[in-house]
Amino acid sequence: MTGSPRCPCCGGAMPEGPVPREELAGLAAEGKVEFSVLRRLARRPGHWVSIRELIDAVYGDRADGGPESAEQIIRNRISMLMPRLLRHGWAIEGGRGLGGEA
């Protein structure tokens, strides 16, 4: 029998499903990109989410797949989200080569 997923940074119990909406209430997203990134991450707490998955979440409705700088835009938004998430007890961990991407 396996227990609840554990947070990779603190070892605390993670929710098994998406993060409840009320827990995200204090995290006002600044624009569509940040909102889409936050929403995708909240749907998969405790799991790696690839940069490609985040780009698809943000720009998937565009025929061109988003701007050439989409990866840098997403990385920038994540870096801006990190301090605000920490204030609410959440963390984003990752780096190049993690989450199935080289």
Side-chain angles (χ1 to χ4, degrees), residues 29-38 58-59 73-74 77 81:
E30 297 176 8
K32 177 189 184 254
V33 172
E34 202 167 284
F35 176 78
S36 296
V37 167
L38 182 59
V58 174
Y59 299 110
I73 291 168
I74 299 299
R77 287 289 130 187
L81 272 170

Side-chain angles (χ1 to χ4, degrees), residues 71-89:
E71 182 174 339
Q72 185 57 41
I73 291 168
I74 299 299
R75 290 185 188 283
N76 181 283
R77 287 289 130 187
I78 289 171
S79 71
M80 295 175 79
L81 272 170
M82 290 172 96
R84 290 188 308 188
L85 288 170
L86 283 174
R87 286 193 298 261
H88 291 273

Side-chain angles (χ1 to χ4, degrees), residues 40-87:
R40 181 56 53 113
L41 294 172
R43 286 183 179 165
R44 300 194 49 217
H47 297 277
W48 293 112
V49 178
S50 72
I51 193 73
R52 180 78 255 163
E53 187 176 341
L54 293 172
I55 290 169
D56 289 345
V58 174
Y59 299 110
D61 59 344
R62 288 180 47 165
D64 65 359
E68 287 185 31
S69 59
E71 182 174 339
Q72 185 57 41
I73 291 168
I74 299 299
R75 290 185 188 283
N76 181 283
R77 287 289 130 187
I78 289 171
S79 71
M80 295 175 79
L81 272 170
M82 290 172 96
R84 290 188 308 188
L85 288 170
L86 283 174
R87 286 193 298 261

Side-chain angles (χ1 to χ4, degrees), residues 15 17-28 35 38-39 42-43 84-85 87-90:
V19 176
R21 211 177 191 104
E22 58 274 8
E23 288 189 37
L24 298 174
L27 294 169
F35 176 78
L38 182 59
R39 182 174 58 190
R43 286 183 179 165
R84 290 188 308 188
L85 288 170
R87 286 193 298 261
H88 291 273
W90 292 89

